[in-house]
Amino acid sequence: AQKVTQAQTEISVVEKEDVTLDCVYETRDTTYYLFWYKQPPSGELVFLIRRNSFDEQNEISGRYSWNFQKSTSSFNFTITASQVVDSAVYFCALNGLSGGYNKLIFGAGTRLAVHP
Amino acid sequence: DAGVTQSPTHLIKTRGQQVTLRCSPKSGHDTVSWYQQALGQGPQFIFQYYEEEERQRGNFPDRFSGHQYPNYSSELNVNALLLGDSALYLCASSLVAGPTYEQYFGPGTRLTVT
């Protein structure tokens, strides 16, 4: 079975603080993909990043960075110097061969509130 | 370039009624997936349509059915509505079925069952 766990339900920070959102996944697939999506109050899920199971290189995109560690089945997301516009619900998701690569398995999400 | 669009935005129905939700994929996309997102939870996969056929289905009862038209637009139908069907229904489109093409999500339809 495939599963994604986001243990942090809500995080509250003050602007300019760094914040890390945790994601732990379970899968028996050797080939799988991991994703992060942002859901602002408007409701639309915004794609942030995709990482395949064979690429453990960390990635940085502006203030965003991702740390993928297969040894601990984690795919954590860090926002550096957070801004009020980062306030949203963030979802980690998994997509693997056993799921036919057709469906995304989402975690429960982490609500991030960035205060001025 | 139009993104994924969904209609209606909000809908209120009574238990036992039937509802149809609509989705137009992003221009050029041929695959449509539907997800149900209950309040405070992550989206759950309902099913995916490609080439007008249901390719894969999540753990949802037969009350949930769908259709894809030749222009790739899609409908989600839910029969015999239950209070528990109240949720945000998200449509996602991609270029082809598979993991290498990210799914683009629409704004969703908020369904309330009373």
Side-chain angles (χ1 to χ4, degrees), chain B residues 74-91:
Chain B
S74 177
E75 289 180 354
L76 164 65
N77 301 294
V78 186
N79 295 322
L81 284 168
L82 304 174
L83 294 179
D85 295 332
S86 295
L88 179 67
Y89 289 85
L90 295 163
C91 170

Side-chain angles (χ1 to χ4, degrees), chain B residues 93-114:
Chain B
S93 74
S94 55
L95 184 58
V96 294
T100 58
Y101 298 93
E102 53 263 32
Q103 295 186 20
Y104 291 79
F105 283 82
T109 294
R110 173 75 62 188
L111 172 64
T112 302
V113 182
T114 62

Side-chain angles (χ1 to χ4, degrees), chain A residues 37 39 50 99 102-104, chain B residues 35 37 48 56 102-103:
Chain A
Y37 282 87
Q39 188 175 43
R50 176 189 63 246
N102 291 324
K103 62 180 181 182
L104 289 168
Chain B
Y35 291 81
Q37 185 178 14
Q48 183 180 80
Q56 190 165 0
E102 53 263 32
Q103 295 186 20

Side-chain angles (χ1 to χ4, degrees), chain A residues 33 35 37 39 42-47 50 89 91 95 98-109 111, chain B residues 33 35 37 40-45 48 55-58 88 90 97-107:
Chain A
Y33 292 79
F35 303 78
Y37 282 87
Q39 188 175 43
S42 61
E44 185 171 339
L45 285 168
V46 177
F47 168 83
R50 176 189 63 246
V89 181
F91 291 98
N95 175 318
S98 63
Y101 290 128
N102 291 324
K103 62 180 181 182
L104 289 168
I105 306 297
F106 285 87
R111 181 177 298 277
Chain B
S33 302
Y35 291 81
Q37 185 178 14
Q41 298 182 21
Q44 286 196 302
F45 177 80
Q48 183 180 80
R55 294 291 172 165
Q56 190 165 0
R57 188 179 185 90
L88 179 67
L90 295 163
T100 58
Y101 298 93
E102 53 263 32
Q103 295 186 20
Y104 291 79
F105 283 82

Side-chain angles (χ1 to χ4, degrees), chain B residues 15-64:
Chain B
R15 273 180 303 175
Q17 286 188 317
Q18 179 265 344
V19 67
T20 297
L21 310 182
R22 295 177 175 81
C23 171
S24 291
K26 182 178 171 63
S27 178
H29 284 186
D30 57 8
T31 302
V32 173
S33 302
W34 286 92
Y35 291 81
Q36 179 196 64
Q37 185 178 14
L39 195 62
Q41 298 182 21
Q44 286 196 302
F45 177 80
I46 303 175
F47 43 53
Q48 183 180 80
Y49 277 83
Y50 173 62
E51 292 185 334
E52 301 179 50
E53 290 188 10
E54 182 182 296
R55 294 291 172 165
Q56 190 165 0
R57 188 179 185 90
N59 189 25
F60 279 81
D62 292 344
R63 298 187 297 109
F64 289 76

